[in-house]
Amino acid sequence: MFDASIHANRRARLAAALGDGIAIVATAPEVPRNRDTHYPYRHDSYFYWLTGFAEPEAVVVVIGGEKPESILFCRDKDEAREIWDGFRHGPAAAQEQFAFDAAHSVTELDARLPELMGNRARLAYAVGQEPAWDARVIG
């Protein structure tokens, strides 16, 4: 049985260490093998340690301060895509099963991130690992 409290406690400890900061941790991208096939997916270890969530295209935002919060951004539930890509929790089920304060579609990340990052004392982010993510966070 999966125990979400282990990962929720880890996120709470990170939020406490951040002070009035914010941490953004993205999981590993899918890697194409050829035109229409990907290698078997392997999540990012740091991401999984914080979340317990093993799906691609996911980001966790941990916010410290007076009201600590952990927010997951993940793929939408889509039964048609699940035929090809495998099971997806979707934001609602992921929030409940993995004990996040909130969960949203990963398509909303770029719109929500500026507000979440606003007026924060510090940003914790692994710069230089993924150029596409660097451009997103800096933008």
Side-chain angles (χ1 to χ4, degrees):
M1 181 77 182
F2 179 77
D3 185 3
S5 66
I6 293 168
H7 302 283
N9 288 336
R10 290 172 179 167
R11 292 190 302 269
R13 288 195 327 256
L14 174 58
L18 287 169
D20 188 29
I22 183 172
I24 302 169
V25 182
T27 194
E30 290 182 293
V31 179
R33 183 176 182 154
N34 55 33
R35 291 176 63 125
D36 60 352
T37 307
H38 289 85
Y39 284 103
Y41 182 69
R42 170 63 164 79
H43 54 74
D44 177 78
S45 296
Y46 296 118
F47 179 85
Y48 187 80
W49 188 83
L50 279 172
T51 66
F53 192 76
E55 292 181 25
E57 294 184 59
V59 177
V60 64
V61 177
V62 179
I63 301 170
E66 291 179 22
K67 296 171 70 177
E69 192 174 11
S70 64
I71 304 167
L72 177 72
F73 291 87
C74 64
R75 299 184 303 183
D76 291 315
K77 180 78 174 165
D78 184 341
E79 292 179 10
R81 286 303 316 165
E82 288 181 37
I83 293 169
W84 301 102
D85 301 332
F87 177 76
R88 295 180 181 195
H89 283 90
Q95 179 180 354
E96 182 178 329
Q97 186 172 346
F98 296 92
F100 287 98
D101 298 311
H104 305 286
S105 171
V106 72
T107 61
E108 298 177 27
L109 179 66
D110 291 336
R112 291 181 180 263
L113 205 50
E115 180 183 334
L116 294 172
M117 291 173 62
N119 298 319
R120 296 286 166 190
R122 68 183 71 126
L123 168 64
Y125 171 75
V127 177
Q129 288 187 341
E130 193 66 39
W133 272 106
D134 290 347
R136 256 178 125 168
V137 171
I138 292 168

